[in-house]
Amino acid sequence: MSDLPETPRLIELKKIGGPALGYLSVAEAEKEVPFEIRRVYWTYHTPDEVERGHHAHQRLRQVIFAVSGIIRIELEARSGVVEEFSLDRPNTGLYVPGGYWRRMHFSHNAVLLCLASEEYDEEEYIRDYEAFRKEGE
């Protein structure tokens, strides 16, 4: 394994099928998804004026999909570097390693599906932005 830090990246899954019958995409743990999946959750009916996120994770890794609608995600590294991603295809996910502050905006019909590397643990969250930024100094 590389000594370089992990960085966010888009993961495009194969689309199987066609317009006549529809499509199927598959995400398998430790193949398309670069970790063992320990938790799956989804959010929906998020009003489009609401900004979600406002936290980081210490070690939790995620692959986030917009299975419907559009989700714009802003990720900030502890160094202060900000990257923006737009998820608008159900076969494209965003890999988010630990240590990235996130802000998310949803279209009115967006459904976010998240594959997570860990079970829920409130202690693993970083919810104070100033504390997050201090860790990067």
Side-chain angles (χ1 to χ4, degrees):
M1 181 165 233
S2 172
D3 289 336
L4 296 173
E6 290 188 294
T7 57
R9 66 181 181 280
L10 293 174
I11 296 173
E12 189 161 347
L13 304 177
K14 292 180 186 174
K15 284 179 19 178
I16 302 164
L21 296 175
Y23 296 92
L24 168 80
S25 292
V26 176
E28 294 183 354
E30 300 182 23
K31 290 184 181 178
E32 295 85 4
V33 176
F35 51 79
E36 179 183 341
I37 300 166
R38 302 289 307 260
R39 182 167 52 118
V40 176
Y41 65 88
W42 51 98
T43 64
Y44 49 93
H45 297 311
T46 302
D48 55 0
E49 68 273 6
V50 171
E51 181 178 78
R52 292 190 60 130
H54 299 279
H55 67 272
H57 294 281
Q58 296 177 39
R59 65 187 174 282
L60 178 89
R61 298 179 289 161
Q62 301 171 308
V63 178
I64 299 171
F65 294 92
V67 294
S68 178
I70 300 170
I71 303 170
R72 290 180 299 113
I73 302 175
E74 179 183 291
L75 297 176
E76 182 177 340
R78 285 187 169 108
S79 66
V81 173
V82 175
E83 292 182 80
E84 293 184 22
F85 299 89
S86 183
L87 299 176
D88 58 4
R89 293 176 296 168
N91 68 311
T92 301
L94 174 60
Y95 172 68
V96 184
Y100 283 83
W101 190 264
R102 77 256 350 256
R103 294 177 190 87
M104 301 179 288
H105 297 91
F106 295 71
S107 67
H108 72 281
N109 62 336
V111 177
L112 176 149
L113 174 70
C114 181
L115 309 176
S117 65
E118 307 294 328
E119 295 176 6
Y120 178 79
D121 178 2
E122 179 59 33
E123 296 297 315
E124 208 272 333
Y125 280 72
I126 304 167
R127 297 193 185 273
D128 180 306
Y129 181 72
E130 296 306 318
F132 168 78
R133 291 292 290 139
K134 283 184 181 180
E135 286 185 30
E137 295 176 352

